[in-house]
Amino acid sequence: MAASRIARLAYRWLAWLFVACVVVQFFFAGLGVFVPGSTFELHRNWGYTFGYLLLFMIAAALIGRMPRAAWAAALGVVVLFALQSVLVALRTSAPAIAALHPVNAVAIFTAALWIARSSAAWQRQPNGDQPEPDATEAAPGEAT
């Protein structure tokens, strides 16, 4: 199996894994809010851990020579992911802005779900290492 095909398949699996990780992250936030004696430490640590999947997705998209949308969308989620930490840091100095943290989380989930659903189509798109048609072959619709 060619490296680009493996990378495309990996991208698709990583995209769905990332969606699942975001759902788990929402659960951990709920634990912090609703379970007495719980803290947000698990929520915070999990967020820093699974964010690295995005870097692997970008690498897989580039190695797999996937469409620009594949790596650009993952890069966009990296920006949203980084914004999450900035929003938390603003909780004491600008609490109204920090309150956008859960709104941004919904944006991350929505983008991640769109990426995962789009990954099947991106995986099937032709890439750069397929041979060009032979010049001696008739083009579709031409008489032979």
Side-chain angles (χ1 to χ4, degrees):
M1 189 180 295
S4 64
R5 184 171 174 184
I6 293 169
R8 286 169 174 250
L9 186 60
Y11 182 94
R12 191 172 179 186
W13 280 96
L14 289 168
W16 282 109
L17 179 59
F18 186 83
V19 170
C21 287
V22 173
V23 171
V24 170
Q25 182 70 338
F26 274 106
F27 173 73
F28 289 158
L31 284 177
V33 171
F34 296 111
V35 175
S38 292
T39 67
F40 282 98
E41 187 174 332
L42 187 56
H43 172 75
R44 183 189 70 231
N45 292 343
W46 179 246
Y48 287 128
T49 302
F50 80 91
Y52 288 104
L53 289 175
L54 293 166
L55 302 178
F56 290 114
M57 287 172 61
I58 293 168
L62 294 172
I63 292 167
R65 297 181 182 164
M66 295 176 75
R68 178 179 292 139
W71 62 262
L75 187 60
V77 176
V78 168
V79 172
L80 292 174
F81 222 74
L83 182 59
Q84 282 296 78
S85 294
V86 172
L87 292 171
V88 170
L90 295 172
R91 71 180 172 271
T92 54
S93 61
I97 295 172
L100 291 172
H101 182 81
V103 176
N104 192 47
V106 171
I108 291 169
F109 176 74
T110 303
L113 190 58
W114 177 79
I115 290 168
R117 293 187 68 187
S118 299
S119 66
W122 292 336
Q123 183 181 6
R124 289 188 297 268
Q125 286 186 1
N127 63 13
D129 53 10
Q130 290 184 341
E132 292 294 320
D134 188 7
T136 60
E137 292 179 14
E142 288 184 7
T144 54

